[in-house]
Amino acid sequence: MHRTLLAEPRHRRIRMDRFVGTAPFALSRRRLFQLVAAAGIGATRIGTAEARQAIVKPAPPDFFLQDGSNLEMRWEAMYSRGYLVPNELFFVRNNSPEVPRLDPATWRLELAGPALARPRSFSYDEILAMPSVSVIRAIECAGNGRNFFELAHGKKISGTRWTLGAIGVAEWTGVPLREVLERAGVTRTARDVMPEGADARRIRRPIPIGKAMEDDTLLVYAMNGQPLPPDHGFPLRLLVPGWVGISHVKWLSRIEVSGQLLHSDYNTTRYVLVGPDYRREPPALGPVLTTQKVKSAFELPWDGEVRAGTRLLRGRSWSGEGRILKVDVSLDDGKTWQPARLREPNIDKAWVRWDVDWDARPGAHRLRARATDSAGNTQPDEIPFNEQGYSYWAVVSHPIRVS
Ligand SMILES: Nc1nc2c(c(=O)[nH]1)N[C@H]1C(S)=C(S)[C@@H](COP(=O)(O)O)O[C@H]1N2
Ligand SMILES: [Mo]
């Protein structure tokens, strides 16, 4: 028994390493076509009544908190689950009122701009035919934790009122963005790359050419071995590991490559830090958000109730700047701390699962977790306020009732 328990993480680690590298993924092009057809994601449903929906997948209330076109994952639904968040449970953040239903037979990805020697477009078929890569990475909304600004600073902030459930980790399969940029003849003058979505708001936010050319910056067409679901950007989305959720543009339709620095609403007036502690950085109203900071969450209901008894108190910590080195947990709202046991796997720009023994006695409790990442960042006790409530990465005091 003991031996198996010890062997399992090692086994999983070896498996993960195979997948996290550039090993070709087992999902063949043919298999993907079969799945797309079986799921009815393709052309057959376009034009039916289903074509106008804020969210396509079911949103059971024991999985999600719904706020308009957004779904927040309930952390208690992750209790004791595996490393990856299943597609059914993955949070959704849609800026536009409807999920676009795109037909992969006619959809094209257009590459344009002065820093391309051979501007061109690609069909879905052409993308699927290229060598693929699979990586395990998180996507997290920049506004995850926004509610805590209200709790900590007493200021009400507009925007989706996330607690900590606007994050998920999945295995993403696709083609390196670098591959299509090279096929379009990207030149040495390239500085910024602007991906654009096909939703009503045409979400667009630039990334620097250096980030665009990284091995794990992918044009993604599969999520956890399934065709990318409509809510998550079918037929193609961008994965920009470690960066704010808004960078991971869904329903990709166009990519502009320029020798100039590029700007949109999403890196000048939104997704920038504005407040008394931040300076303007024209044309942006403040420092532009790039990587996600280190955070932690318990696999427990927020301000909910659990049964008394001896159990494992579980949680996860993550960072957009690396892997997690250390997590400390307090069962008494910060008076005393103990190190948590980190469980394998512990993947860069994804997350790590951890646990501590907990003798849960009846009454009201407040729990805290504080993580340190491999870039040397440790969650602070407080962070300065910003008007749009981004990047709340301070330690959180988690209320829980034991009965
Ligand atoms: N085209 C498009 N891409 C988008 C968005 C959007 O509204 N439209 N939302 C962004 C935001 S703010 C986040 S946090 C992530 C959420 O990804 P998910 O819905 O797959 O979880 O997608 C990003 N990509
Ligand atoms: Mo977001």
Side-chain angles (χ1 to χ4, degrees), residues 90-96 139-142 197-199 203 231-232 237 245-251 271:
F90 208 96
F91 86 100
V92 176
R93 166 76 177 109
N94 289 340
N95 286 272
S96 306
I139 292 182
E140 182 184 23
C141 185
D199 48 337
I203 298 298
D231 295 307
H232 299 289
R237 86 176 301 169
I246 188 71
S247 312
H248 308 238
V249 173
K250 304 193 276 190
W251 312 293
Y271 301 92

Side-chain angles (χ1 to χ4, degrees), residues 181-241:
L181 292 177
E182 280 170 357
R183 289 186 194 211
V186 63
T187 67
R188 302 182 63 152
T189 61
R191 275 182 93 181
D192 262 358
V193 174
M194 179 88 87
E196 186 177 306
D199 48 337
R201 294 254 169 93
R202 304 207 77 83
I203 298 298
R204 52 206 292 270
R205 190 188 207 256
I207 54 171
I209 187 71
K211 187 66 185 168
M213 299 295 275
E214 279 181 13
D215 289 348
D216 57 355
T217 298
L218 302 185
L219 298 171
V220 164
Y221 51 75
M223 178 176 182
N224 292 325
Q226 296 292 316
L228 197 60
D231 295 307
H232 299 289
F234 182 85
L236 199 71
R237 86 176 301 169
L238 193 61
L239 179 78
V240 187

Side-chain angles (χ1 to χ4, degrees), residues 171-358:
E171 184 192 60
W172 310 97
T173 299
V175 172
L177 174 57
R178 186 182 54 223
E179 181 75 27
V180 303
L181 292 177
E182 280 170 357
R183 289 186 194 211
V186 63
T187 67
R188 302 182 63 152
T189 61
R191 275 182 93 181
D192 262 358
V193 174
M194 179 88 87
E196 186 177 306
D199 48 337
R201 294 254 169 93
R202 304 207 77 83
I203 298 298
R204 52 206 292 270
R205 190 188 207 256
I207 54 171
I209 187 71
K211 187 66 185 168
M213 299 295 275
E214 279 181 13
D215 289 348
D216 57 355
T217 298
L218 302 185
L219 298 171
V220 164
Y221 51 75
M223 178 176 182
N224 292 325
Q226 296 292 316
L228 197 60
D231 295 307
H232 299 289
F234 182 85
L236 199 71
R237 86 176 301 169
L238 193 61
L239 179 78
V240 187
W243 280 47
V244 285
I246 188 71
S247 312
H248 308 238
V249 173
K250 304 193 276 190
W251 312 293
L252 257 187
S253 62
R254 191 171 185 274
I255 297 175
E256 181 189 340
V257 187
S258 174
Q260 312 287 319
L261 293 178
L262 298 175
H263 303 282
S264 76
D265 272 3
Y266 299 90
N267 72 336
T268 55
T269 61
R270 303 178 62 194
Y271 301 92
V272 298
L273 296 169
V274 181
D277 292 83
Y278 300 103
R279 289 246 209 104
R280 292 178 68 102
E281 293 184 4
L285 299 181
V288 179
L289 290 166
T290 58
T291 53
Q292 289 290 105
K293 298 294 225 164
V294 55
K295 296 198 189 76
S296 304
F298 292 95
E299 295 170 9
L300 288 177
W302 183 261
D303 205 7
E305 198 164 290
V306 295
R307 284 286 159 130
T310 309
R311 66 160 60 78
L312 279 183
L313 177 61
R314 295 174 190 267
R316 303 184 190 219
S317 298
W318 60 91
S319 168
E321 298 188 359
R323 63 206 286 273
I324 300 300
L325 295 187
K326 185 162 97 85
V327 179
D328 289 317
V329 170
S330 172
L331 304 173
D332 53 15
D333 206 18
K335 289 194 230 15
T336 60
W337 294 83
Q338 59 178 297
R341 292 175 290 255
L342 306 193
R343 304 296 187 177
E344 290 293 317
N346 184 353
I347 298 172
D348 222 69
K349 305 181 184 73
W351 57 22
V352 69
R353 293 171 294 176
W354 45 257
D355 52 69
V356 298
D357 298 316
W358 188 30

Side-chain angles (χ1 to χ4, degrees), residues 12-32:
R12 203 157 38 200
R13 180 62 191 264
I14 293 164
R15 248 192 94 233
M16 287 293 176
D17 287 346
R18 280 184 42 220
F19 283 124
V20 174
T22 50
F25 186 56
L27 186 71
S28 71
R29 192 166 158 237
R30 191 157 153 261
R31 178 75 188 128
L32 193 83

